[in-house]
Amino acid sequence: MDQTTLIGLLAATCTTAAFVPQVIAILRTGNVDGISVMMYSIFTVGIALWLSYGIKVNDLPMILANSISLLLAISVLSLTVFKRWQKKKNPCEESQIATA
Amino acid sequence: MDQTTLIGLLAATCTTAAFVPQVIAILRTGNVDGISVMMYSIFTVGIALWLSYGIKVNDLPMILANSISLLLAISVLSLTVFKRWQKKKNPCEESQIATA
């Protein structure tokens, strides 16, 4: 494998795997306060478009990498929206328990 | 311009521009609570590798898109680390003001 291909593979691995710690952090802490929903909405559309592009040009590594990225981006987006909705629904959840 | 090129351009625009609302959100609210530093560390390395790949294969759109993405990813990463360090340094900043 030549050096350029290796750099490309490492790059794809990093930009795809990067979202795993974000998903884990949300699942572990439930804190999504600083995460921009707008960012993940635009990013998810972008990754879906990269996937379409990969299918159009029939590039298997591009299809695989973007399929995984799409799943991870959708996970962060849906978890963020869900946690924020949950917080909005029960804004005083902790104090309600404390005063029950 | 053919349909495939258009999809590629739209995809690159979305995955690059997506980070702008995140930078704006941090600058506006100062809240970085749910943001994973690990995610942005790996992502920044990944984008730097994509930029090296773009330089190696001499692909100008790839070089341009990844240069902008790298700047945005570094901005989110450094702002997150800085705000978290600031919070750690002054964990009771608000209550100190309240009791002053």
Side-chain angles (χ1 to χ4, degrees):
Chain A
M1 194 190 292
D2 68 300
Q3 204 199 12
T4 308
T5 310
L6 188 70
I7 292 174
L9 278 174
L10 272 172
T13 306
C14 285
T15 48
T16 298
F19 293 90
V20 175
Q22 182 64 77
V23 174
I24 293 171
I26 299 175
L27 292 174
R28 203 165 44 85
T29 66
N31 193 334
V32 294
D33 279 359
I35 296 171
S36 164
V37 170
M38 180 69 91
M39 177 205 139
Y40 279 96
S41 304
I42 302 170
F43 193 78
T44 301
V45 171
I47 295 294
L49 286 168
W50 273 130
L51 181 57
S52 312
Y53 184 84
I55 293 165
K56 285 254 180 195
V57 299
N58 206 19
D59 184 322
L60 191 63
M62 204 175 207
I63 294 169
L64 284 175
N66 283 298
S67 298
I68 301 167
S69 292
L70 188 61
L71 275 176
L72 290 166
I74 289 173
S75 302
V76 176
L77 180 61
S78 50
L79 279 167
T80 304
V81 171
F82 174 70
K83 294 281 177 191
R84 209 154 284 173
W85 169 81
Q86 216 177 20
K87 202 179 171 184
K88 206 175 174 181
K89 208 179 153 201
N90 294 311
C92 312
E93 206 176 42
E94 281 170 324
S95 53
Q96 274 171 359
I97 294 163
T99 55
Chain B
M1 194 191 293
D2 69 301
Q3 205 199 11
T4 309
T5 310
L6 188 70
I7 292 173
L9 278 173
L10 272 172
T13 306
C14 284
T15 49
T16 298
F19 294 91
V20 174
Q22 182 65 76
V23 173
I24 293 171
I26 299 175
L27 291 174
R28 202 164 44 85
T29 66
N31 193 333
V32 294
D33 277 1
I35 297 171
S36 164
V37 170
M38 180 70 90
M39 178 206 139
Y40 279 97
S41 304
I42 302 170
F43 194 78
T44 301
V45 171
I47 294 294
L49 286 168
W50 273 131
L51 181 57
S52 311
Y53 184 85
I55 293 166
K56 284 253 181 195
V57 299
N58 206 17
D59 184 321
L60 190 63
M62 202 174 208
I63 295 170
L64 284 175
N66 283 298
S67 298
I68 301 167
S69 292
L70 188 61
L71 275 177
L72 291 166
I74 289 173
S75 303
V76 177
L77 179 61
S78 50
L79 279 167
T80 304
V81 171
F82 174 70
K83 293 281 177 189
R84 210 154 284 174
W85 169 80
Q86 217 176 19
K87 202 179 170 183
K88 205 174 173 181
K89 209 179 152 201
N90 295 310
C92 312
E93 206 175 43
E94 281 170 320
S95 54
Q96 275 172 357
I97 293 163
T99 56

